[in-house]
Amino acid sequence: MFVTPLIAAPMAGGTTTPELALAATGAGAFAFAAGGYKTAEQLAAHVAPLRAAGHDFGVNLFVPRTSPLSATESAALASYRVELRATAERYGADVPQQLLAEDDPRVQDFWAEKLELLLSDPVPLVSFTFGLAPTPLVTKLHKAGSQVVASVTSVAEALAAVETGVDALVVQHANAGGHTAAFLPAPTQSPASLTELIMAIRSAVSLPLIGAGGIASSEDLKAVLAAGAVAGAIGTALIRTDESGARPVHKDALGDPSYTQTAMTRSFTGKAARALVNDFVREHSATAPQAYPEVHFLTAPLRAAAAAAHDPHALNLWAGSGWRQARSGPAAHVIEDYLKGV
C-alpha cells in the first residue's frame, strides 16, 4: 500500500495545504489532503494540484455523527454559549446567536456531497476518522478504485474496523495533537505508548498498521516500525513549516518556551483534542459540552478574533506530545530528517 514508511497526516482547518502535501510527497512521504470542514467544491480544488502532480495520495474525511444531540447535550451547549460571551467580548467578537440546526449541512460536514465526488472522480486512497465508513460505502470505494483506511485508537475499534472491509488502519495514540479519532468508549487501561498500542492491535488484527501520535523524531519512527507498523504519520512536526497553512500565532506558540504542557480538551470544538494549555483551555475545559461540531462553530468567531490580534490565549493550539521538536523551515527538510536511516 505504501512505498514509504512516512505519512504526512491530514490536518484540517487549513493547516494541510496543497503546497504542504506536495512538498511532503516530493521529499519522500505519502501525503493526504484534509477534507474536514470543506465543501465538495473546496475539496475538489484542494485535491486538484495533487492529482496533477501524478503521485499517489490520500483524502481524509470526518465521519459525521449518526444521531442528534440529546436534550442534556443541547442544554449544556446553550449554557456554554452564554459562558463564552465574556471571553468573546475581550476580543471584540460575537458568539453566534443561533446554534446549528440538526439539518445544517455543516453538522454532517458535507458528507454526502464529498462522497459523491470521491466515487465519481476517485483518488488512490480514502481514510476516515471520528468513526467507521459503513461496509457498503467501503465496497463502493473499492469498486471505484480507491483503497480505504480507518482510524482507530483501541483494539476494540480495530476489530470493528476490520469487519467493514478496510485495507489498513491508522493506529492513533492519545499523544497525537488535535482531535482524537476515538469512536468507542475508551478502554479502562490504555497502552502508555504508541508502540505498545501498535503491538496490542498487531496481535489482534492482520491488516497493515500506520502509527500516529507523538512521533517526534526519526528514532520514534524507527520504534513504530519495529513495533509492527508499516509506516508512521506525523502532523505536529509539520505545523511550523513554510508550506503549512497554520496561523502564524499557532506556529509561534509551538516554539514558545512559555508553554510547558498539553492537555486533552473539548473547549474549542466539543470533541476531545490535544492542545497546548493556554488561558482558554484552563478557563473552559471543565464546562465544555460534548457537542461536535456545534462547539467548533460556536467558538470560531472568537478564535478568528484572537488570531487577528496575534493573541494565542484563545486559540486552539493543537499540539502532540512531541511539540517541542517541531521546527520551522521547508517541509522537505523535516521529511528528510525523519527518513534518515529508516
Side-chain angles (χ1 to χ4, degrees):
M1 172 177 284
F2 299 108
V3 296
T4 172
L6 188 62
I7 312 295
M11 293 177 282
T15 299
T16 293
T17 60
E19 292 78 15
L20 177 57
L22 288 171
T25 300
F30 183 94
F32 276 88
Y37 307 125
K38 289 182 171 66
T39 64
E41 292 77 13
Q42 290 168 336
L43 179 58
H46 184 55
V47 164
L50 304 182
R51 291 187 190 276
H55 300 292
D56 279 352
F57 66 94
V59 169
N60 177 255
L61 296 184
F62 294 165
V63 178
R65 66 170 186 249
T66 56
S67 59
L69 295 179
S70 67
T72 300
E73 290 166 338
S74 296
L77 180 62
S79 296
Y80 193 56
R81 179 184 168 278
V82 174
E83 176 186 325
L84 290 173
R85 286 176 182 167
T87 304
E89 286 174 2
R90 294 206 300 265
Y91 293 95
D94 293 322
V95 178
Q97 295 296 314
Q98 298 294 325
L99 300 175
L100 293 186
E102 193 62 35
D103 60 356
D104 190 304
R106 290 173 292 177
V107 171
Q108 293 293 304
D109 198 36
F110 309 99
W111 172 254
E113 295 89 342
K114 285 187 284 197
L115 289 177
E116 183 179 352
L117 169 69
L118 295 176
L119 288 169
S120 62
D121 195 2
V123 297
L125 189 149
V126 180
S127 69
F128 295 95
T129 191
F130 301 167
L132 298 177
T135 300
L137 173 56
V138 174
T139 300
K140 287 181 181 179
L141 287 166
H142 281 157
K143 288 181 178 178
S146 300
Q147 292 187 299
V148 184
V149 175
S151 300
V152 302
T153 66
S154 66
V155 171
E157 291 182 348
L159 291 171
V162 168
E163 293 301 311
T164 67
V166 295
D167 302 289
L169 304 176
V170 171
V171 176
Q172 186 204 53
H173 188 266
N175 284 339
H179 289 111
T180 175
F183 55 89
L184 293 178
T188 305
Q189 186 171 3
S190 300
S193 68
L194 174 58
T195 54
E196 291 177 15
L197 180 59
I198 290 169
M199 288 188 286
I201 292 178
R202 174 76 294 149
S203 67
V205 305
S206 59
L207 291 179
L209 307 179
I210 300 101
I215 302 176
S217 67
S218 178
E219 292 305 312
D220 291 339
L221 177 59
K222 291 176 186 177
V224 163
L225 300 176
V230 298
I234 58 171
T236 303
L238 295 169
I239 290 177
R240 298 184 67 197
T241 60
D242 297 343
E243 297 87 352
S244 162
R247 289 163 164 153
V249 67
H250 187 179
K251 294 183 178 185
D252 292 345
L254 289 176
D256 186 341
S258 68
Y259 291 97
T260 60
Q261 60 182 323
T262 63
M264 295 295 285
T265 179
R266 290 197 302 261
S267 58
F268 295 106
T269 69
K271 182 183 285 290
R274 184 168 297 282
L276 294 178
V277 176
N278 59 7
D279 291 347
F280 197 94
V281 171
R282 283 186 284 266
E283 293 171 8
H284 299 294
S285 289
T287 51
Q290 186 171 322
Y292 177 87
E294 284 83 356
V295 172
H296 167 78
F297 291 103
L298 201 62
T299 65
L302 188 160
R303 290 182 280 126
H310 205 76
D311 185 339
H313 296 294
L315 275 181
N316 51 315
L317 304 173
W318 301 147
S321 61
W323 91 91
R324 289 185 181 89
Q325 291 174 258
R327 59 187 177 87
S328 57
H333 290 179
V334 174
I335 298 298
E336 288 162 2
D337 283 348
Y338 270 92
L339 291 174
K340 285 179 181 176
V342 175

